[in-house]
Amino acid sequence: MALSKSSNTYGRTSWEDSEFPILCPTCLGDNPYVRMMKEKFGSECKICVRPFTTFRWCPGARMRFKKTEICQTCAKLKNVCQTCLLDLEYGLPIQVRDQALNIKDNIAKSDVNKEYFIQNAEKQLSATDHGVPGAAGGPGKSHPPSDLLMKLARTAPYYRRNLPHICSFWVKGECKRGEECPYRHEKPTDPDDPLADQNIKDRYYGTNDPVAEKLMRRAATLPRLDAPEDKSITTLYVGNIGEKMLEKELRDHFYQYGEIRSITIVSRQQCAFVTYVTRSAAELAAEGTFNKLIIQNRRLVIRWGKSQGKQNIPGTTNTEAGARFEPVPGLPRALPHPEELEHNFFNLAPTTSAFSSPYPQFAPPTYPLMAPPPPNPTPNQPELPGFLAEGQSGIHYPSQDPTRLGAINKTRQT
């Protein structure tokens, strides 16, 4: 057991004893049957240097063992996890949260006032809110949410943060454990990267935290949702709703921005369409929910709906419907409409049959001679084959070519 050299060595009553740590979902892991090793007064707090009860556990398979780094009193004052020191509600560094909520840090940092401040904070926590994180004036849930925090907040655990450290022997090419090595065999990051140099006290006090600075730079470049120019659009597209999202849950959130005309849920595509009565209500909803809306631990995607299909305006050309393209030389002309052919699908010459019946639909079929289709000259017509007369158009199918069966066009012979 590690003992402090300060006055805490002689005041064991100020040491902290607890039954379970204060952890975030990421540090706790996804195993519901996690086993922890508890050691009473096993280490000193990295902030107030008081001995406290430590916990050690493995958050999951192929993960590294984790342990508590600060005492519960320091964690409650900042509403953070005892291991990663990230905010319990948003999963963000303290520096980002304090800047978004305009919180001023009044925690004592000197060794002289630190012990006195912690003792007063413990009394206030136990007397007011029964030790709930964020009580006694701390940055808990009493503060209203911020748009910046809603955009940057994590909605799901990030278990990659629990991966083992990089094997230093593998980096030097001397690791002989192979797959049995509990450490990662990956290339380390650049040593000049600011994220490679992190201090637990800087993270707790919210000063010079490289992770927080990276998130603030990302927040400055977040995309914006611009309203469309078409004022008739009052529909918002809501994506990533999942399969269990109900219309009531969407209506309970979106009705605060204005009167809703309809809500359509497309379960197969996991999206919904919220239509407002007025355009101003739709703009308020888009501004209040873009990159901020979280329902059922899912960050919903907000986009503006698209306008209905525009009608073709006279005098304009449309590449799909109204445009006319020049015919390609050498290709057969378009087939005539079936009504124009009168069931003559091969453009055969009309013939008379000796058989007449009052019921033509039951008449026997006729077998006329092969004849070219009627003349239909087109501009830039290619050279006709030898078996066709001048002024006649090309054939439609190769099977209509009489020369394939050995016929000779005597009119073209000289």
Side-chain angles (χ1 to χ4, degrees), residues 5-304:
K5 296 181 181 181
S6 64
S7 59
N8 289 329
T9 307
Y10 309 100
R12 297 174 64 92
T13 56
S14 62
W15 295 0
E16 183 180 274
D17 187 13
S18 57
E19 296 296 331
F20 197 82
I22 300 176
L23 302 174
C24 63
T26 300
C27 293
L28 185 60
D30 58 348
N31 185 9
Y33 306 102
V34 61
R35 301 174 61 182
M36 291 188 176
M37 292 175 285
K38 174 183 175 183
E39 185 178 359
K40 193 174 183 180
F41 311 136
S43 178
E44 288 184 350
C45 176
K46 299 295 178 55
I47 304 301
C48 64
V49 298
R50 294 187 310 160
F52 72 105
T53 302
T54 59
F55 295 87
R56 188 173 183 268
W57 71 99
C58 183
R62 304 291 299 176
M63 300 293 178
R64 73 175 186 272
F65 275 82
K66 310 196 76 173
K67 66 182 182 69
T68 53
E69 303 291 346
I70 63 175
C71 64
Q72 291 194 4
T73 303
C74 295
K76 293 174 183 178
L77 290 175
K78 288 285 192 176
N79 191 36
V80 295
C81 173
Q82 283 188 260
T83 301
C84 64
L85 275 68
L86 296 180
D87 185 77
L88 293 174
E89 185 176 358
Y90 302 104
L92 298 173
I94 298 175
Q95 183 175 345
V96 176
R97 183 199 63 191
D98 291 352
Q99 290 184 8
L101 299 179
N102 296 325
I103 298 176
K104 296 182 179 180
D105 187 10
N106 57 352
I107 297 180
K109 300 180 182 180
S110 63
D111 296 337
V112 178
N113 298 328
K114 192 181 300 181
E115 183 178 354
Y116 177 75
F117 180 85
I118 293 296
Q119 289 178 359
N120 292 339
E122 280 186 337
K123 293 179 182 179
Q124 193 173 3
L125 286 172
S126 59
T128 55
D129 235 328
H130 302 287
V132 176
K141 296 184 179 181
S142 60
H143 292 77
S146 171
D147 294 343
L148 178 61
L149 295 182
M150 296 302 295
K151 293 178 181 180
L152 298 178
R154 284 195 177 274
T155 59
Y158 184 63
Y159 295 123
R160 186 174 177 81
R161 201 168 66 216
N162 301 332
L163 290 177
H165 296 292
I166 296 177
C167 179
S168 60
F169 288 90
W170 181 84
V171 175
K172 295 183 293 184
E174 299 177 359
C175 183
K176 300 180 181 179
R177 296 183 181 182
E179 296 181 355
E180 298 179 358
C181 183
Y183 299 96
R184 283 188 297 163
H185 287 182
E186 296 180 5
K187 183 179 179 181
T189 58
D190 187 6
D192 297 333
D193 188 2
L195 298 179
D197 185 15
Q198 301 184 28
N199 191 340
I200 189 170
K201 289 188 177 181
D202 291 343
R203 173 171 292 186
Y204 183 81
Y205 292 115
T207 57
N208 300 325
D209 187 0
V211 179
E213 294 176 357
K214 177 181 177 182
L215 290 176
M216 296 303 294
R217 289 194 299 268
R218 181 189 301 175
T221 59
L222 286 177
R224 299 176 55 186
L225 184 62
D226 297 330
E229 297 180 357
D230 189 356
K231 297 298 182 179
S232 64
I233 299 178
T234 60
T235 302
L236 295 180
Y237 165 84
V238 184
N240 193 29
I241 63 174
E243 299 178 354
K244 299 181 180 180
M245 185 74 66
L246 301 178
E247 179 180 345
K248 181 179 181 300
E249 296 176 331
L250 294 176
R251 187 177 295 274
D252 290 344
H253 182 83
F254 282 97
Y255 85 98
Q256 59 182 317
Y257 302 104
E259 184 179 357
I260 298 177
R261 176 173 297 174
S262 64
I263 295 181
T264 305
I265 296 180
V266 185
S267 301
R268 186 174 181 181
Q269 304 294 335
Q270 296 188 4
C271 65
F273 296 91
V274 181
T275 304
Y276 284 90
V277 176
T278 60
R279 172 61 179 263
S280 59
E283 292 179 356
L284 288 176
E287 182 181 357
T289 58
F290 179 66
N291 281 346
K292 308 173 190 175
L293 183 56
I294 300 175
I295 301 179
Q296 295 183 356
N297 293 329
R298 302 175 70 96
R299 185 183 295 276
L300 304 187
V301 179
I302 305 298
R303 297 286 187 273
W304 278 98

Side-chain angles (χ1 to χ4, degrees), residues 294-371:
I294 300 175
I295 301 179
Q296 295 183 356
N297 293 329
R298 302 175 70 96
R299 185 183 295 276
L300 304 187
V301 179
I302 305 298
R303 297 286 187 273
W304 278 98
K306 297 182 179 179
S307 60
Q308 301 295 331
K310 297 181 179 180
Q311 302 295 332
N312 292 333
I313 303 175
T316 60
T317 58
N318 187 359
T319 56
E320 296 183 358
R324 298 182 62 86
F325 302 97
E326 294 294 333
V328 180
L331 295 181
R333 66 180 179 86
L335 291 174
H337 196 272
E339 296 180 357
E340 300 176 1
L341 293 176
E342 296 180 357
H343 304 290
N344 186 8
F345 298 104
F346 294 97
N347 291 337
L348 303 178
T351 57
T352 57
S353 175
F355 180 83
S356 62
S357 173
Y359 305 96
Q361 61 270 23
F362 298 103
T366 59
Y367 300 92
L369 296 176
M370 297 295 293

